[in-house]
Amino acid sequence: MNSKEINAELAQRRMSLRQGGGREQIDRQHARGKQTARERIFALVDPGSFHEIDAYITHRHIDFGLAEKQFPGDSVVVGFGTVDGRRIAVAAQDFTVIGGSFSEVQAQKVCKILDLAMGSGVPFVSLNDSVGARIQEGVWSLAGYSELFWRNTQASGVIPQISVMMGPCAGGSVYSPGLTDFIIMTEGVSHMFITGPEVIRTVTGEEVDFETLGGAMTHASTSGVAHFVAADEAATLALTRRLLSYLPANNVESPPAAPAVAPPEGTDLDSLVPVDGAIGYDMHDAIRAIFDGDSFLAVHADYAPNAVVGFARLDGVVVGVVGNQPGFLAGVLDINASDKIARFVRFCDCYNIPLVTFVDCPGFMPGTKQEHGGIIRHGAKIVYAYSEATVPKIAIITRKAYGGAYIVMSSKYIRTDLVYAWPTAEIAVMGAEGAVNILFRKQLRQAKDPRRMRTEKAKQFRKKFGSPYVAAASGHVDDVILPSETRDKLIAALVFLADKQASLPPKKHGNMPL
Ligand code: HXC
């Protein structure tokens, strides 16, 4: 062969590589409303930036008809490219090749690109669309999963890992995502489950459809497995790009800065918080009025809405925002809100993202359901996560900071650097009525007019603890500020704390309550 023929062979081979599992399978994929693996990668990365590797690999198994199902590249496409000019590593499962089933070779490819990403400090994005373990490959498939799960764990806290669910992800295909930092699901087409409806019917007799079992909204609002939901594939990939824009490439970088943008006008922050503690308000209104433009990206928006977490920019700098949500269940902390907050705080601490926490919380949710569900164990995660976090931490107490909620929500003594209070802040062991009922139980029982006595005592209690000045007079908060001053105060504080040095005692790792 001359060089022209040799080069022509490469061109010919490249053409066939683009076929995935063949025309018929690609048509079936499109008919399901889904793009192919490569179409998805091209929609995710900057035009012309994708470089594929391992496109020639084939599996080495022959049993159960596998000999006739050898496709170059097998059931995953891997490589690297850029998003907004920043490097990423990417793997996209190819459903057109034996349902994207997880083979020995798929494991080899994904592990290789993940190793390269980790070695180079580059985020890893996995576009998932798979029927799970390739049954025909038996232990080779399972061993491959183990290799991947081990790597996901090693990479955790070193490079951001994002799982994008774009098809039926069954069995082992959900545990790699479960180990990564963020899961984004496409509505309607993505499902995540350990055991499918057929197995559930056989084992338990329960009838359940795919959507109810493991659809995007199920995981976004009920299980908390998914952090984000998008309406279709284009929106899912756009959201993935947006999420990446807040994240540093690895744990020794700072998140990327952007030009500062003024917050939208229209919210009078100084009158946002109702003086009557029984009346709620939307913490999103405060967040919107303080941070840059429309920079707030809520994480877990549909899960535990009594807490708010997400990324935002402040004068162009990325911060992690945590807040109670007085507009839902009075912002109480329950099991799910605890998990939501703790996980987010730990992510921000891994990746050098300063934390800004807005506190308006009456305490932990009472009741046997919460106690028996382990609110002690789950609530402890919040205090553990904040105590362990060494990134700059700033808290703003907007209204109620009662009891345990005061302590766990980024209080001064779990090493929050600066704690500000709005004039509406109330820092107390509990609300006035509850406190009076306990402190004056005997007197109230004997009183001629218990209602009047309760009102009077509550008034006295409120006078003492119903404002931030007792806490400020003893240094428990660092300053009392007008809500409208918050943005400027936060910007100055973040500049001041930018080079914060903090370290934890030497240890292998702590034993976080799980
Ligand atoms: C190999 C498989 C397969 C599997 C499906 N296929 N599951 N091949 N191993 N596990 C094949 C199908 O025969 C089909 O091949 C192609 O993949 C696409 O599958 P369809 O059924 O046509 O797709 P769809 O209608 O979209 O249904 C998707 C599905 C269904 C709901 C996921 O395929 C399904 O229930 N599959 C079984 C899922 C499962 O139990 N996986 C193993 C989990 S155990 P053709 O040639 O017809 O296109 C596991 C162990 C690891 O993963 C646990 C670690 C923690």
Side-chain angles (χ1 to χ4, degrees):
M1 281 208 287
N2 60 31
S3 58
K4 208 170 161 194
E5 286 163 337
I6 290 172
N7 293 348
E9 184 195 350
L10 176 59
Q12 176 57 39
R13 282 179 179 270
R14 278 190 178 160
M15 285 296 289
S16 70
L17 290 180
R18 306 246 181 278
Q19 302 302 307
R23 192 68 252 165
E24 195 187 315
Q25 287 289 350
I26 292 171
D27 290 343
R28 276 176 69 186
Q29 176 80 344
H30 287 155
R32 289 182 177 104
K34 301 196 292 183
Q35 297 183 94
T36 65
R38 286 187 183 81
E39 286 166 349
R40 287 168 173 166
I41 291 175
F42 293 142
L44 174 69
V45 301
D46 298 334
S49 74
F50 181 60
H51 297 274
E52 185 172 343
I53 62 168
D54 276 342
Y56 296 91
I57 283 188
T58 53
H59 70 71
R60 336 167 224 264
H61 297 268
I62 51 169
D63 294 333
F64 305 106
L66 277 187
E68 295 83 58
K69 290 186 175 176
Q70 283 211 329
F71 302 94
D74 204 60
S75 51
V76 69
V77 179
V78 304
F80 53 91
T82 59
V83 167
D84 293 331
R86 302 171 68 226
R87 300 167 301 163
I88 65 156
V90 61
Q93 292 180 313
D94 188 344
F95 198 84
T96 69
V97 177
I98 322 177
S101 51
F102 198 85
S103 60
E104 177 193 21
V105 152
Q106 176 170 157
Q108 188 184 332
K109 289 180 69 170
V110 178
C111 290
K112 185 192 279 187
I113 195 69
L114 186 46
D115 283 345
L116 286 166
M118 197 170 153
S120 306
V122 173
F124 174 62
V125 178
S126 175
L127 309 179
N128 299 297
D129 189 355
S130 168
V131 292
R134 183 172 292 172
I135 294 166
Q136 303 92 318
E137 291 193 17
V139 68
W140 282 275
S141 169
L142 299 180
Y145 268 137
S146 313
E147 284 281 358
L148 177 58
F149 300 167
W150 182 82
R151 275 176 182 73
N152 288 133
T153 309
Q154 303 305 303
S156 178
V158 180
I159 51 170
Q161 300 179 81
I162 301 174
S163 300
V164 188
M165 316 310 289
M166 307 185 87
C169 293
S173 289
V174 298
Y175 268 124
S176 173
L179 288 163
T180 62
D181 298 299
F182 294 107
I183 294 180
I184 304 176
M185 292 186 75
T186 310
E187 241 174 306
V189 292
S190 71
H191 299 106
M192 295 177 76
F193 47 84
I194 299 283
T195 45
E198 264 180 51
V199 176
I200 292 174
R201 193 182 312 117
T202 312
V203 176
T204 70
E206 184 191 351
E207 291 285 346
V208 65
D209 59 72
F210 282 110
E211 204 56 33
T212 312
L213 177 65
M217 277 322 290
T218 296
H219 284 307
S221 62
T222 306
S223 73
V225 165
H227 300 82
F228 302 96
V229 173
D232 53 31
E233 291 209 1
T236 303
L237 296 171
L239 183 56
T240 309
R241 291 174 65 95
R242 183 168 181 219
L243 175 60
L244 282 164
S245 77
Y246 294 90
L247 311 184
N250 55 62
N251 63 336
V252 293
E253 270 191 12
S254 295
V261 183
E265 286 173 12
T267 305
D268 177 15
L269 263 183
D270 289 340
S271 63
L272 176 71
V273 177
V275 177
D276 181 349
I279 301 175
Y281 61 96
D282 189 348
M283 193 61 90
H284 289 109
D285 288 340
I287 293 168
R288 216 172 292 121
I290 290 169
F291 295 94
D292 288 12
D294 59 354
S295 68
F296 183 65
L297 174 64
V299 175
H300 263 147
D302 299 298
Y303 183 66
N306 35 326
V308 176
V309 303
F311 300 106
R313 289 197 179 80
L314 190 63
D315 211 30
V317 175
V318 174
V319 294
V321 179
V322 179
N324 307 114
Q325 172 54 289
F328 190 89
L329 294 177
V332 74
L333 285 173
D334 59 4
I335 289 169
N336 292 350
S338 300
D339 284 2
K340 172 172 169 172
I341 292 172
R343 176 119 177 108
F344 183 72
V345 166
R346 294 196 98 216
F347 177 84
C348 291
D349 189 48
C350 285
Y351 293 105
N352 314 312
I353 300 174
L355 287 159
V356 177
T357 302
F358 292 88
V359 186
D360 187 347
C361 182
F364 283 99
M365 175 89 106
T368 46
K369 205 167 162 208
Q370 291 288 311
E371 296 290 355
H372 293 182
I375 183 86
I376 297 171
R377 181 164 49 87
H378 293 279
K381 293 176 191 175
I382 310 183
V383 71
Y384 195 102
Y386 272 116
S387 300
E388 193 185 42
T390 55
V391 289
K393 293 177 284 190
I394 306 168
I396 315 283
I397 302 173
T398 64
R399 196 170 55 178
K400 297 171 200 164
Y402 292 168
Y406 160 76
I407 298 166
V408 306
M409 290 299 294
S410 202
S411 66
K412 190 125 199 87
Y413 304 103
I414 55 174
R415 302 301 184 267
T416 295
D417 300 288
L418 288 164
V419 177
Y420 293 116
W422 287 359
T424 41
E426 303 167 33
I427 303 158
V429 173
M430 61 178 67
E433 279 72 20
V436 166
N437 282 339
I438 293 172
L439 292 178
F440 302 99
R441 191 179 343 175
K442 252 193 224 149
Q443 293 93 319
L444 283 168
R445 224 184 286 136
Q446 289 156 3
K448 271 197 196 138
D449 187 350
R451 188 180 293 182
R452 197 165 143 219
M453 184 177 177
R454 190 177 285 118
T455 310
E456 260 168 32
K457 294 286 180 196
K459 210 167 140 193
Q460 282 170 13
F461 188 89
R462 242 181 248 115
K463 205 168 166 204
K464 174 91 179 168
F465 294 114
S467 78
Y469 301 107
V470 169
S474 49
H476 295 300
V477 300
D478 297 302
D479 200 1
V480 182
I481 61 170
L482 281 174
S484 54
E485 295 169 336
T486 306
R487 178 177 166 86
D488 290 345
K489 287 280 181 189
L490 285 174
I491 291 171
L494 283 176
V495 170
F496 172 62
L497 296 168
D499 297 320
K500 178 182 172 185
Q501 297 280 323
S503 59
L504 301 171
K507 54 179 141 178
K508 187 174 176 190
H509 57 70
N511 186 15
M512 185 180 187
L514 295 172

